[in-house]
Amino acid sequence: MRRQLYVRRVTVAAVVAALSSTGLAAGLATAPPAAAAVAPQTVAPRIVAPATVVGAINRSSRSAVLAAYRNRYVAPARIANAWTGSVSGCVAGTNSSAYTRATLTAINWARGQAGIPPVVGLNSTYTAQAQRAALMMQAQGALSHAPSTSWRCWSSAGAAAAGRSNLSLGVAGARAIGMYLVEPGSGNTAAGHRRWLLYPRLGRIGIGNTGTANAVYVLGARASRIPTGTPAYYAWPTSGYFPRAAEPRGRWSLSSSRGYSFSRATVRVVGPSGAVVRVVRYAPRTGFGDNTLVWQLASVPSQRARVDQTYRVTVSGIRTPSGATTRYSYAVTLIS
């Protein structure tokens, strides 16, 4: 697999542009293949390499948003990959605690930017299984949530995790988190990877990283209720100030933590010039975390602009569980 990892500026956009052979498995739905089922954890899980920087980010502060992006995503993305395994021997190995911690910190940067409480730590069982799943993806040079027993380095634990994980090939660690948030390609219009990473009720997860593959075990234990402080709506890119380098190539989304339906919703975006931006609305798909509406901007914001640019979004026709219809409006200001 051809890789171009030597980028001067470690940003979400740079990673996407540099890794032309990187892939993401199509978004993982709530119900994985039966063969990938795994028994729930029955003992208290051990926390492995918890994130060191967590918490909500003040999106009304330009400096706070930029500082959080630098410290919680850019810096973690520069941590060296220290995989100890081997494809030739089908050895899953491990990665350094610093690299694992950096991956989790990147996830919690995104959650903090969205106003979602952080993932508090990792489940050691899920992490071990995710490591085997990542090994399989790198060994096979392909991605699947239901890999067959003919795959190189196949294992029952790895196959189980593949059915319950976000999967990336061509990039690992914090950079893989950036890829999940961008959701590139025609197979990711449901933004399933992003939705699982931002899901407010996401419990302890598992993280597996090899040299060129990543697996984030997301279909494990969930919180029994919505965490305190979770907003009714959360978007990506978020309202308020948002790092331009993390803008997901025009693939925007709005989620509801309250079970609101977007099945009949419409979206209107007004760009920095005051003109309406044409959008492609994707049919809402359930089963990936919270209900979410995803759309693609026909005109993708420039990564090279050096002035702040504000986009105003209105989503209408949202239906509440009681059947009432409402709308939600917010502004995104891209900054460098």
Side-chain angles (χ1 to χ4, degrees):
M1 176 180 296
R2 181 170 64 86
R3 296 188 299 155
Q4 301 175 25
L5 295 179
Y6 299 98
V7 292
R8 292 183 179 179
R9 189 180 179 197
V10 184
T11 65
V12 172
V15 171
V16 174
L19 295 166
S20 59
S21 57
T22 295
L24 296 181
L28 178 67
T30 302
V38 61
Q41 186 81 353
T42 57
V43 297
R46 177 170 59 91
I47 296 177
V48 179
T52 56
V53 184
V54 298
I57 298 165
N58 181 5
R59 299 196 301 265
S60 66
S61 169
R62 193 176 191 281
S63 60
V65 167
L66 290 177
Y69 178 66
R70 288 192 298 266
N71 296 332
R72 303 192 202 181
Y73 179 77
V74 175
R78 289 174 174 159
I79 300 296
N81 190 320
W83 182 44
T84 64
S86 167
V87 168
S88 61
C90 288
V91 178
T94 60
N95 220 299
S96 68
S97 61
Y99 198 73
T100 302
R101 185 168 55 248
T103 309
L104 184 54
T105 297
I107 293 172
N108 281 332
W109 160 72
R111 292 172 71 90
Q113 177 68 31
I116 304 299
V119 173
V120 296
L122 305 187
N123 177 298
S124 57
T125 300
Y126 297 163
T127 291
Q129 292 181 339
Q131 188 66 28
R132 291 186 175 277
L135 170 66
M136 291 168 58
M137 304 305 137
Q138 177 169 335
Q140 187 69 18
L143 293 170
S144 173
H145 289 301
S148 73
T149 55
S150 65
W151 274 43
R152 293 186 63 192
C153 300
W154 185 93
S155 66
S156 58
R164 292 176 171 262
S165 300
N166 282 355
L167 301 172
S168 175
L169 181 62
V171 64
R175 298 183 182 208
I177 305 309
M179 288 292 295
Y180 295 138
L181 294 168
V182 170
E183 296 284 15
S186 59
N188 292 309
T189 56
H193 307 91
R194 180 193 301 168
R195 289 162 66 177
W196 281 125
L197 293 181
L198 298 180
Y199 186 43
R201 292 174 56 195
L202 188 65
R204 298 191 190 280
I205 62 174
I207 291 176
N209 286 303
T210 61
T212 60
N214 167 267
V216 179
Y217 194 114
V218 293
L219 286 182
R222 305 183 193 181
S224 60
R225 62 186 64 185
I226 300 172
T228 301
T230 299
Y233 296 100
Y234 54 97
W236 197 265
T238 66
S239 61
Y241 289 117
F242 189 86
R244 182 183 303 279
E247 192 282 319
R249 288 190 162 187
R251 184 155 293 175
W252 293 23
S253 61
L254 177 68
S255 302
S256 165
S257 65
R258 304 297 192 264
Y260 296 172
S261 172
F262 296 100
S263 62
R264 299 180 183 179
T266 59
V267 60
R268 184 174 188 268
V269 179
V270 177
S273 69
V276 173
V277 179
R278 187 172 68 84
V279 303
V280 175
R281 173 193 181 275
Y282 298 118
R285 292 173 59 189
T286 59
F288 305 87
D290 283 329
N291 291 345
T292 298
L293 180 66
V294 185
W295 63 93
Q296 180 71 38
L297 300 183
S299 178
V300 177
S302 171
Q303 291 288 328
R304 298 184 177 183
R306 289 293 177 262
V307 297
D308 295 357
Q309 294 181 311
T310 298
Y311 291 77
R312 303 187 185 282
V313 180
T314 299
V315 178
S316 304
I318 303 170
R319 288 188 177 273
T320 69
S322 66
T325 301
T326 187
R327 68 172 57 185
Y328 182 70
S329 297
Y330 61 99
V332 178
T333 300
L334 301 178
I335 59 176
S336 302

